Amino acid sequence: LIPDLAWYDWILINTSAGKDSQTMLDYVVSLARRAGVLDRVVAVHADLGRVEWQGVRALAERQATHYGVRFIAVSRPQGDLLDHVEQHGKWPGYGTRWCTSDHKRGQVYRVLTQLADEAREGGRLDVTGYRKNGNPIYRPARILNCMGLRAQESPKRAKQDPFAYDEEASTATTRHVDEWLPIHDWTTEEVWTAIRASGVPHHPAYDMGMPRLSCCFCIYASKSALVRAAQLNPSLAKEYARVEVSIGHRFKKELSMAEIIDAAVAESVDEIEDWAA
Ligand code: SF4
């Protein structure tokens, strides 16, 4: 299903700079260009701070700029994810995934508010700056919120509806938000084929064997991925281990960051197991 892009005031691309985000950006930009609404596409990046792979935010911006798309970065004002873990006294976990709700979705809500206000004032901001683009609208702003989730990534994601009205993100008077998963049925192979065809740079962590981007140490990641990430980011791993000791809570029940660091020193990782998220 491809929604009628011209119906929306804004087409928001949530980008982590990862392979799925950049493929979605490439795909949606081509559709928006064909529909004559490329100026309505905006890329938003939720910056998680120290915990991300190096250069992620800059890469997300570079990818957006490549397509001539306005770029907005947001982050939790009270501190990054590691600060939050220290304040909270616990790591996020299965069923308590506040890392995504507080640091991604919650921050993107602020952008939804900003974009709805801009559209309702009759203006649009694009990469060239503020530009009046029509009359004020006297209805809720229409926003298509695009996410790069794919069915192949996990059984939970496979069950997700690729297009749905987002009641939680919408309001009665200011914004109507639909969530769209443009590459929901794409395979990993198709994603990489599209990236290679686009010629747009991808993050080097993939070339070092990592199957996913975002946090270097994801709570869902496989042991092999965490060990490899610790080999590639030893200072960040030490920082995690310090936080683990200070809050007295293991990074994962079955695997502490101290154990990950020990394995990173002792073992070589030949194959990195992917994980469901
Ligand atoms: S990558 Fe993992 S740890 Fe980081 S925000 Fe996403 S789910 Fe949470």
Side-chain angles (χ1 to χ4, degrees):
L1 176 144
I2 298 174
D4 175 9
L5 300 188
W7 188 76
Y8 295 91
D9 299 300
W10 296 112
I11 300 152
L12 187 62
I13 307 286
N14 288 259
T15 174
S16 67
K19 66 183 191 310
D20 298 328
S21 299
Q22 78 174 98
T23 301
M24 168 179 62
L25 178 62
D26 182 82
Y27 176 54
V28 175
V29 159
S30 70
L31 295 174
R33 197 176 277 137
R34 228 177 292 155
V37 292
L38 185 58
D39 65 339
R40 301 184 196 179
V41 180
V42 176
V44 62
H45 173 68
D47 184 347
L48 302 182
R50 285 167 290 172
V51 301
E52 288 192 310
W53 285 89
Q54 263 190 10
V56 158
R57 177 178 167 149
L59 180 62
E61 183 162 10
R62 189 170 165 202
Q63 290 167 345
T65 306
H66 171 90
Y67 292 102
V69 163
R70 177 181 169 196
F71 176 78
I72 301 175
V74 282
S75 54
R76 183 174 170 269
Q78 303 92 317
D80 71 10
L81 184 50
L82 213 44
D83 291 327
H84 198 176
V85 170
E86 282 204 272
Q87 289 152 10
H88 196 65
K90 270 189 187 311
W91 300 97
Y94 296 94
T96 52
R97 198 172 162 166
W98 48 264
C99 47
T100 36
S101 57
D102 289 7
H103 288 260
K104 293 185 178 177
R105 191 168 273 266
Q107 303 312 318
V108 171
Y109 272 24
R110 296 195 286 128
V111 177
L112 295 177
T113 304
Q114 178 190 334
L115 293 177
D117 288 348
E118 286 178 19
R120 293 171 74 250
E121 283 162 12
R124 286 191 205 288
L125 278 165
D126 65 10
V127 282
T128 62
Y130 188 77
R131 178 159 60 85
K132 270 286 187 203
N133 191 21
N135 298 318
I137 52 172
Y138 300 100
R139 56 162 171 75
R142 298 165 183 159
I143 302 176
L144 183 62
N145 197 25
C146 306
M147 322 276 284
L149 310 186
R150 292 185 300 114
Q152 211 185 37
E153 292 181 290
S154 70
K156 190 175 161 219
R157 291 186 177 187
K159 280 193 210 131
Q160 251 176 278
D161 196 336
F163 180 85
Y165 170 60
D166 188 341
E167 193 172 355
E168 208 184 314
S170 300
T171 68
T173 52
T174 61
R175 64 188 192 230
H176 168 112
V177 182
D178 288 328
E179 185 174 279
W180 182 35
L181 314 180
I183 60 164
H184 189 242
D185 58 352
W186 290 40
T187 63
T188 306
E189 292 68 31
E190 287 171 322
V191 165
W192 280 113
T193 302
I195 291 172
R196 280 190 288 271
S198 74
V200 178
H202 61 265
H203 197 280
Y206 290 116
D207 301 325
M208 293 185 267
M210 297 305 298
R212 296 179 190 222
L213 211 58
S214 208
C215 294
C216 293
F217 303 106
C218 174
I219 49 163
Y220 293 109
S222 60
K223 182 181 176 191
S224 51
L226 292 167
V227 171
R228 186 75 186 114
Q231 289 168 341
L232 295 167
N233 305 279
S235 335
L236 184 62
K238 273 193 206 144
E239 190 63 2
Y240 268 64
R242 182 194 63 74
V243 171
E244 190 171 58
V245 171
S246 85
I247 63 173
H249 182 230
R250 286 162 71 89
F251 174 67
K252 281 166 88 128
K253 207 163 144 201
E254 70 285 7
L255 187 65
S256 71
M257 188 50 71
E259 288 161 348
I260 293 167
I261 293 174
D262 287 347
V265 174
E267 300 167 15
S268 71
V269 180
D270 300 325
E271 210 173 307
I272 300 174
E273 216 185 302
D274 200 357
W275 58 94

